[in-house]
Amino acid sequence: MLKLVRFDLRNPAEWDEFYNLFSAYLEEVCDDDEYQEEIADLHDETLNSQMIEQTLREHNPYFIMRIVLNEECVGLISYTYNEKCFLGFINNLYVCPEQRCKGIGSTVLRMVETHLSELGAKQVDLNPEEKAKPFYVRDGFVQIRMTIDGEPVFEKKIKE
C-alpha cells in the first residue's frame, strides 16, 4: 500500500530521515557547487527554523511528505498551496532509484493533486529538472513559460 506521511521536522529522527532523502535527491539533480550550497543550507539553523515554521502554518502551508510503500520509506515529495491563487506547486519529488519505473511517482502525483484539490487548488505548477521533463509530460503537465532565470514552468489543471 502506498501512502504519504508528513515529516515532523521537529523530531530529530525524522529530520535525519528527511536530510538523507533530500541529500540523495540533491546529489542527482545538482552540480557540485550547487550541491554544496544546498547542503550548507540544510545545516543553517535559521533556514531550518523557517522551513519548520512553514510546515506548521495553517494558511499557505508547506508539505514535506515521505513516500511510504508497504511501511518502507521509498522517497519524498514537497509541495505548497497558495490559497489566494488557488495554486499548488511541487517543489521536489524523489523516488529512490531501486523503486523507480513502478508507477510510484505517478501515483504520488495523483495523491498530491487530490490533496491540493481538496484544499481548493485549480492547478499545479512545477519547475522540473531536465531529465524529469518526460515524466511530467506523460503525466499531463505542459510547459507554459520560462522563469526570469530561464527555467521552464510546467502546469497541470486539476480536475474538480
PDB file of all heavy atoms in Angstrom, residues 103-131:
ATOM      1  N   GLY A 103       5.467   2.981 -11.186  1.00  0.00           N
ATOM      2  CA  GLY A 103       4.230   3.746 -11.058  1.00  0.00           C
ATOM      3  C   GLY A 103       4.116   4.536  -9.770  1.00  0.00           C
ATOM      4  O   GLY A 103       3.091   5.194  -9.537  1.00  0.00           O
ATOM      5  N   ILE A 104       5.136   4.508  -8.937  1.00  0.00           N
ATOM      6  CA  ILE A 104       5.078   5.200  -7.653  1.00  0.00           C
ATOM      7  C   ILE A 104       4.979   6.713  -7.857  1.00  0.00           C
ATOM      8  O   ILE A 104       4.127   7.372  -7.253  1.00  0.00           O
ATOM      9  CB  ILE A 104       6.285   4.822  -6.768  1.00  0.00           C
ATOM     10  CG1 ILE A 104       6.191   3.350  -6.376  1.00  0.00           C
ATOM     11  CG2 ILE A 104       6.369   5.728  -5.539  1.00  0.00           C
ATOM     12  CD1 ILE A 104       7.437   2.797  -5.704  1.00  0.00           C
ATOM     13  N   GLY A 105       5.841   7.269  -8.688  1.00  0.00           N
ATOM     14  CA  GLY A 105       5.837   8.716  -8.911  1.00  0.00           C
ATOM     15  C   GLY A 105       4.501   9.207  -9.439  1.00  0.00           C
ATOM     16  O   GLY A 105       3.961  10.209  -8.960  1.00  0.00           O
ATOM     17  N   SER A 106       3.940   8.517 -10.416  1.00  0.00           N
ATOM     18  CA  SER A 106       2.645   8.924 -10.978  1.00  0.00           C
ATOM     19  C   SER A 106       1.529   8.821  -9.944  1.00  0.00           C
ATOM     20  O   SER A 106       0.662   9.691  -9.858  1.00  0.00           O
ATOM     21  CB  SER A 106       2.297   8.051 -12.190  1.00  0.00           C
ATOM     22  OG  SER A 106       3.206   8.293 -13.237  1.00  0.00           O
ATOM     23  N   THR A 107       1.562   7.766  -9.150  1.00  0.00           N
ATOM     24  CA  THR A 107       0.550   7.609  -8.106  1.00  0.00           C
ATOM     25  C   THR A 107       0.672   8.718  -7.071  1.00  0.00           C
ATOM     26  O   THR A 107      -0.334   9.286  -6.632  1.00  0.00           O
ATOM     27  CB  THR A 107       0.672   6.223  -7.435  1.00  0.00           C
ATOM     28  OG1 THR A 107       0.504   5.218  -8.445  1.00  0.00           O
ATOM     29  CG2 THR A 107      -0.373   6.037  -6.356  1.00  0.00           C
ATOM     30  N   VAL A 108       1.902   9.050  -6.692  1.00  0.00           N
ATOM     31  CA  VAL A 108       2.122  10.122  -5.723  1.00  0.00           C
ATOM     32  C   VAL A 108       1.616  11.451  -6.284  1.00  0.00           C
ATOM     33  O   VAL A 108       0.972  12.225  -5.570  1.00  0.00           O
ATOM     34  CB  VAL A 108       3.612  10.206  -5.322  1.00  0.00           C
ATOM     35  CG1 VAL A 108       3.939  11.504  -4.600  1.00  0.00           C
ATOM     36  CG2 VAL A 108       3.989   9.005  -4.473  1.00  0.00           C
ATOM     37  N   LEU A 109       1.868  11.713  -7.559  1.00  0.00           N
ATOM     38  CA  LEU A 109       1.358  12.951  -8.158  1.00  0.00           C
ATOM     39  C   LEU A 109      -0.159  13.015  -8.069  1.00  0.00           C
ATOM     40  O   LEU A 109      -0.723  14.057  -7.733  1.00  0.00           O
ATOM     41  CB  LEU A 109       1.810  13.080  -9.614  1.00  0.00           C
ATOM     42  CG  LEU A 109       3.251  13.493  -9.844  1.00  0.00           C
ATOM     43  CD1 LEU A 109       3.553  13.511 -11.339  1.00  0.00           C
ATOM     44  CD2 LEU A 109       3.555  14.837  -9.212  1.00  0.00           C
ATOM     45  N   ARG A 110      -0.832  11.922  -8.362  1.00  0.00           N
ATOM     46  CA  ARG A 110      -2.302  11.906  -8.270  1.00  0.00           C
ATOM     47  C   ARG A 110      -2.758  12.138  -6.829  1.00  0.00           C
ATOM     48  O   ARG A 110      -3.733  12.853  -6.587  1.00  0.00           O
ATOM     49  CB  ARG A 110      -2.871  10.589  -8.816  1.00  0.00           C
ATOM     50  CG  ARG A 110      -2.847  10.530 -10.341  1.00  0.00           C
ATOM     51  CD  ARG A 110      -3.626   9.358 -10.898  1.00  0.00           C
ATOM     52  NE  ARG A 110      -3.104   8.066 -10.487  1.00  0.00           N
ATOM     53  CZ  ARG A 110      -2.053   7.454 -11.033  1.00  0.00           C
ATOM     54  NH1 ARG A 110      -1.402   8.033 -12.033  1.00  0.00           N
ATOM     55  NH2 ARG A 110      -1.659   6.273 -10.598  1.00  0.00           N
ATOM     56  N   MET A 111      -2.047  11.556  -5.872  1.00  0.00           N
ATOM     57  CA  MET A 111      -2.395  11.758  -4.464  1.00  0.00           C
ATOM     58  C   MET A 111      -2.241  13.232  -4.073  1.00  0.00           C
ATOM     59  O   MET A 111      -3.104  13.794  -3.385  1.00  0.00           O
ATOM     60  CB  MET A 111      -1.517  10.873  -3.571  1.00  0.00           C
ATOM     61  CG  MET A 111      -1.779   9.387  -3.758  1.00  0.00           C
ATOM     62  SD  MET A 111      -0.498   8.354  -3.009  1.00  0.00           S
ATOM     63  CE  MET A 111      -1.037   8.366  -1.297  1.00  0.00           C
ATOM     64  N   VAL A 112      -1.160  13.845  -4.526  1.00  0.00           N
ATOM     65  CA  VAL A 112      -0.915  15.260  -4.215  1.00  0.00           C
ATOM     66  C   VAL A 112      -1.957  16.131  -4.918  1.00  0.00           C
ATOM     67  O   VAL A 112      -2.484  17.073  -4.318  1.00  0.00           O
ATOM     68  CB  VAL A 112       0.522  15.664  -4.589  1.00  0.00           C
ATOM     69  CG1 VAL A 112       0.703  17.171  -4.569  1.00  0.00           C
ATOM     70  CG2 VAL A 112       1.509  14.990  -3.644  1.00  0.00           C
ATOM     71  N   GLU A 113      -2.266  15.827  -6.169  1.00  0.00           N
ATOM     72  CA  GLU A 113      -3.291  16.590  -6.882  1.00  0.00           C
ATOM     73  C   GLU A 113      -4.631  16.501  -6.155  1.00  0.00           C
ATOM     74  O   GLU A 113      -5.340  17.510  -6.030  1.00  0.00           O
ATOM     75  CB  GLU A 113      -3.433  16.081  -8.316  1.00  0.00           C
ATOM     76  CG  GLU A 113      -2.248  16.429  -9.192  1.00  0.00           C
ATOM     77  CD  GLU A 113      -2.238  15.670 -10.508  1.00  0.00           C
ATOM     78  OE1 GLU A 113      -3.256  15.034 -10.859  1.00  0.00           O
ATOM     79  OE2 GLU A 113      -1.186  15.692 -11.177  1.00  0.00           O
ATOM     80  N   THR A 114      -4.978  15.325  -5.664  1.00  0.00           N
ATOM     81  CA  THR A 114      -6.226  15.163  -4.910  1.00  0.00           C
ATOM     82  C   THR A 114      -6.196  16.010  -3.650  1.00  0.00           C
ATOM     83  O   THR A 114      -7.165  16.719  -3.347  1.00  0.00           O
ATOM     84  CB  THR A 114      -6.455  13.675  -4.559  1.00  0.00           C
ATOM     85  OG1 THR A 114      -6.585  12.943  -5.777  1.00  0.00           O
ATOM     86  CG2 THR A 114      -7.700  13.488  -3.712  1.00  0.00           C
ATOM     87  N   HIS A 115      -5.090  15.968  -2.925  1.00  0.00           N
ATOM     88  CA  HIS A 115      -4.969  16.762  -1.701  1.00  0.00           C
ATOM     89  C   HIS A 115      -5.082  18.253  -2.006  1.00  0.00           C
ATOM     90  O   HIS A 115      -5.819  18.984  -1.342  1.00  0.00           O
ATOM     91  CB  HIS A 115      -3.654  16.447  -0.994  1.00  0.00           C
ATOM     92  CG  HIS A 115      -3.496  17.160   0.297  1.00  0.00           C
ATOM     93  ND1 HIS A 115      -2.290  17.632   0.734  1.00  0.00           N
ATOM     94  CD2 HIS A 115      -4.393  17.515   1.255  1.00  0.00           C
ATOM     95  CE1 HIS A 115      -2.447  18.231   1.902  1.00  0.00           C
ATOM     96  NE2 HIS A 115      -3.714  18.175   2.237  1.00  0.00           N
ATOM     97  N   LEU A 116      -4.355  18.695  -3.028  1.00  0.00           N
ATOM     98  CA  LEU A 116      -4.401  20.116  -3.387  1.00  0.00           C
ATOM     99  C   LEU A 116      -5.805  20.524  -3.837  1.00  0.00           C
ATOM    100  O   LEU A 116      -6.277  21.612  -3.503  1.00  0.00           O
ATOM    101  CB  LEU A 116      -3.364  20.425  -4.465  1.00  0.00           C
ATOM    102  CG  LEU A 116      -1.908  20.392  -3.989  1.00  0.00           C
ATOM    103  CD1 LEU A 116      -0.952  20.425  -5.176  1.00  0.00           C
ATOM    104  CD2 LEU A 116      -1.626  21.538  -3.026  1.00  0.00           C
ATOM    105  N   SER A 117      -6.474  19.668  -4.571  1.00  0.00           N
ATOM    106  CA  SER A 117      -7.840  19.948  -5.000  1.00  0.00           C
ATOM    107  C   SER A 117      -8.762  20.097  -3.788  1.00  0.00           C
ATOM    108  O   SER A 117      -9.609  20.995  -3.742  1.00  0.00           O
ATOM    109  CB  SER A 117      -8.344  18.824  -5.907  1.00  0.00           C
ATOM    110  OG  SER A 117      -9.679  19.045  -6.275  1.00  0.00           O
ATOM    111  N   GLU A 118      -8.585  19.232  -2.798  1.00  0.00           N
ATOM    112  CA  GLU A 118      -9.390  19.325  -1.571  1.00  0.00           C
ATOM    113  C   GLU A 118      -9.137  20.645  -0.846  1.00  0.00           C
ATOM    114  O   GLU A 118     -10.040  21.184  -0.198  1.00  0.00           O
ATOM    115  CB  GLU A 118      -9.070  18.150  -0.645  1.00  0.00           C
ATOM    116  CG  GLU A 118      -9.581  16.826  -1.166  1.00  0.00           C
ATOM    117  CD  GLU A 118      -9.025  15.626  -0.419  1.00  0.00           C
ATOM    118  OE1 GLU A 118      -8.142  15.789   0.461  1.00  0.00           O
ATOM    119  OE2 GLU A 118      -9.471  14.501  -0.729  1.00  0.00           O
ATOM    120  N   LEU A 119      -7.919  21.186  -0.981  1.00  0.00           N
ATOM    121  CA  LEU A 119      -7.594  22.478  -0.366  1.00  0.00           C
ATOM    122  C   LEU A 119      -8.154  23.651  -1.177  1.00  0.00           C
ATOM    123  O   LEU A 119      -8.226  24.768  -0.679  1.00  0.00           O
ATOM    124  CB  LEU A 119      -6.083  22.630  -0.213  1.00  0.00           C
ATOM    125  CG  LEU A 119      -5.408  21.675   0.772  1.00  0.00           C
ATOM    126  CD1 LEU A 119      -3.887  21.808   0.687  1.00  0.00           C
ATOM    127  CD2 LEU A 119      -5.894  21.937   2.191  1.00  0.00           C
ATOM    128  N   GLY A 120      -8.498  23.378  -2.463  1.00  0.00           N
ATOM    129  CA  GLY A 120      -9.060  24.429  -3.305  1.00  0.00           C
ATOM    130  C   GLY A 120      -8.251  24.751  -4.550  1.00  0.00           C
ATOM    131  O   GLY A 120      -8.627  25.638  -5.322  1.00  0.00           O
ATOM    132  N   ALA A 121      -7.151  24.053  -4.765  1.00  0.00           N
ATOM    133  CA  ALA A 121      -6.297  24.343  -5.925  1.00  0.00           C
ATOM    134  C   ALA A 121      -7.011  24.019  -7.232  1.00  0.00           C
ATOM    135  O   ALA A 121      -7.774  23.056  -7.328  1.00  0.00           O
ATOM    136  CB  ALA A 121      -4.991  23.548  -5.842  1.00  0.00           C
ATOM    137  N   LYS A 122      -6.747  24.848  -8.234  1.00  0.00           N
ATOM    138  CA  LYS A 122      -7.285  24.638  -9.581  1.00  0.00           C
ATOM    139  C   LYS A 122      -6.205  24.139 -10.539  1.00  0.00           C
ATOM    140  O   LYS A 122      -6.508  23.634 -11.611  1.00  0.00           O
ATOM    141  CB  LYS A 122      -7.867  25.944 -10.132  1.00  0.00           C
ATOM    142  CG  LYS A 122      -8.949  26.556  -9.247  1.00  0.00           C
ATOM    143  CD  LYS A 122     -10.169  25.697  -9.211  1.00  0.00           C
ATOM    144  CE  LYS A 122     -11.254  26.366  -8.368  1.00  0.00           C
ATOM    145  NZ  LYS A 122     -12.116  25.425  -7.711  1.00  0.00           N
ATOM    146  N   GLN A 123      -4.933  24.342 -10.154  1.00  0.00           N
ATOM    147  CA  GLN A 123      -3.836  23.857 -10.982  1.00  0.00           C
ATOM    148  C   GLN A 123      -2.607  23.630 -10.113  1.00  0.00           C
ATOM    149  O   GLN A 123      -2.523  24.100  -8.996  1.00  0.00           O
ATOM    150  CB  GLN A 123      -3.499  24.812 -12.122  1.00  0.00           C
ATOM    151  CG  GLN A 123      -2.737  26.055 -11.720  1.00  0.00           C
ATOM    152  CD  GLN A 123      -2.468  26.963 -12.897  1.00  0.00           C
ATOM    153  OE1 GLN A 123      -3.369  27.238 -13.679  1.00  0.00           O
ATOM    154  NE2 GLN A 123      -1.256  27.448 -13.015  1.00  0.00           N
ATOM    155  N   VAL A 124      -1.662  22.857 -10.676  1.00  0.00           N
ATOM    156  CA  VAL A 124      -0.385  22.571 -10.035  1.00  0.00           C
ATOM    157  C   VAL A 124       0.713  23.001 -10.993  1.00  0.00           C
ATOM    158  O   VAL A 124       0.654  22.693 -12.186  1.00  0.00           O
ATOM    159  CB  VAL A 124      -0.227  21.067  -9.731  1.00  0.00           C
ATOM    160  CG1 VAL A 124       1.109  20.790  -9.057  1.00  0.00           C
ATOM    161  CG2 VAL A 124      -1.364  20.551  -8.892  1.00  0.00           C
ATOM    162  N   ASP A 125       1.697  23.713 -10.467  1.00  0.00           N
ATOM    163  CA  ASP A 125       2.861  24.129 -11.253  1.00  0.00           C
ATOM    164  C   ASP A 125       4.108  23.468 -10.694  1.00  0.00           C
ATOM    165  O   ASP A 125       4.138  23.041  -9.533  1.00  0.00           O
ATOM    166  CB  ASP A 125       3.056  25.650 -11.200  1.00  0.00           C
ATOM    167  CG  ASP A 125       2.035  26.420 -12.019  1.00  0.00           C
ATOM    168  OD1 ASP A 125       1.144  25.797 -12.620  1.00  0.00           O
ATOM    169  OD2 ASP A 125       2.129  27.656 -12.050  1.00  0.00           O
ATOM    170  N   LEU A 126       5.154  23.414 -11.518  1.00  0.00           N
ATOM    171  CA  LEU A 126       6.453  22.921 -11.078  1.00  0.00           C
ATOM    172  C   LEU A 126       7.522  23.366 -12.057  1.00  0.00           C
ATOM    173  O   LEU A 126       7.224  23.765 -13.183  1.00  0.00           O
ATOM    174  CB  LEU A 126       6.442  21.399 -10.922  1.00  0.00           C
ATOM    175  CG  LEU A 126       5.979  20.529 -12.097  1.00  0.00           C
ATOM    176  CD1 LEU A 126       7.096  20.271 -13.086  1.00  0.00           C
ATOM    177  CD2 LEU A 126       5.462  19.214 -11.573  1.00  0.00           C
ATOM    178  N   ASN A 127       8.770  23.316 -11.596  1.00  0.00           N
ATOM    179  CA  ASN A 127       9.946  23.587 -12.429  1.00  0.00           C
ATOM    180  C   ASN A 127      10.757  22.298 -12.475  1.00  0.00           C
ATOM    181  O   ASN A 127      11.584  22.071 -11.596  1.00  0.00           O
ATOM    182  CB  ASN A 127      10.833  24.693 -11.846  1.00  0.00           C
ATOM    183  CG  ASN A 127      10.126  26.000 -11.692  1.00  0.00           C
ATOM    184  OD1 ASN A 127       9.736  26.345 -10.590  1.00  0.00           O
ATOM    185  ND2 ASN A 127       9.963  26.718 -12.759  1.00  0.00           N
ATOM    186  N   PRO A 128      10.528  21.445 -13.470  1.00  0.00           N
ATOM    187  CA  PRO A 128      11.189  20.136 -13.456  1.00  0.00           C
ATOM    188  C   PRO A 128      12.665  20.204 -13.842  1.00  0.00           C
ATOM    189  O   PRO A 128      13.088  21.071 -14.609  1.00  0.00           O
ATOM    190  CB  PRO A 128      10.408  19.351 -14.511  1.00  0.00           C
ATOM    191  CG  PRO A 128       9.948  20.391 -15.469  1.00  0.00           C
ATOM    192  CD  PRO A 128       9.663  21.612 -14.622  1.00  0.00           C
ATOM    193  N   GLU A 129      13.412  19.264 -13.283  1.00  0.00           N
ATOM    194  CA  GLU A 129      14.783  19.053 -13.735  1.00  0.00           C
ATOM    195  C   GLU A 129      14.707  18.530 -15.167  1.00  0.00           C
ATOM    196  O   GLU A 129      13.716  17.901 -15.562  1.00  0.00           O
ATOM    197  CB  GLU A 129      15.478  18.027 -12.832  1.00  0.00           C
ATOM    198  CG  GLU A 129      15.626  18.466 -11.401  1.00  0.00           C
ATOM    199  CD  GLU A 129      16.497  19.706 -11.261  1.00  0.00           C
ATOM    200  OE1 GLU A 129      17.482  19.843 -12.008  1.00  0.00           O
ATOM    201  OE2 GLU A 129      16.187  20.539 -10.403  1.00  0.00           O
ATOM    202  N   GLU A 130      15.743  18.776 -15.941  1.00  0.00           N
ATOM    203  CA  GLU A 130      15.749  18.405 -17.360  1.00  0.00           C
ATOM    204  C   GLU A 130      15.383  16.936 -17.579  1.00  0.00           C
ATOM    205  O   GLU A 130      14.526  16.615 -18.400  1.00  0.00           O
ATOM    206  CB  GLU A 130      17.121  18.711 -17.974  1.00  0.00           C
ATOM    207  CG  GLU A 130      17.179  18.529 -19.466  1.00  0.00           C
ATOM    208  CD  GLU A 130      16.255  19.474 -20.235  1.00  0.00           C
ATOM    209  OE1 GLU A 130      16.091  20.638 -19.840  1.00  0.00           O
ATOM    210  OE2 GLU A 130      15.697  19.022 -21.254  1.00  0.00           O
ATOM    211  N   LYS A 131      16.013  16.039 -16.814  1.00  0.00           N
ATOM    212  CA  LYS A 131      15.754  14.619 -17.060  1.00  0.00           C
ATOM    213  C   LYS A 131      14.372  14.167 -16.573  1.00  0.00           C
ATOM    214  O   LYS A 131      13.926  13.085 -16.927  1.00  0.00           O
ATOM    215  CB  LYS A 131      16.860  13.756 -16.459  1.00  0.00           C
ATOM    216  CG  LYS A 131      16.949  13.731 -14.971  1.00  0.00           C
ATOM    217  CD  LYS A 131      18.117  12.868 -14.534  1.00  0.00           C
ATOM    218  CE  LYS A 131      18.173  12.750 -13.027  1.00  0.00           C
ATOM    219  NZ  LYS A 131      19.267  11.892 -12.615  1.00  0.00           N
TER     220      LYS A 131
END
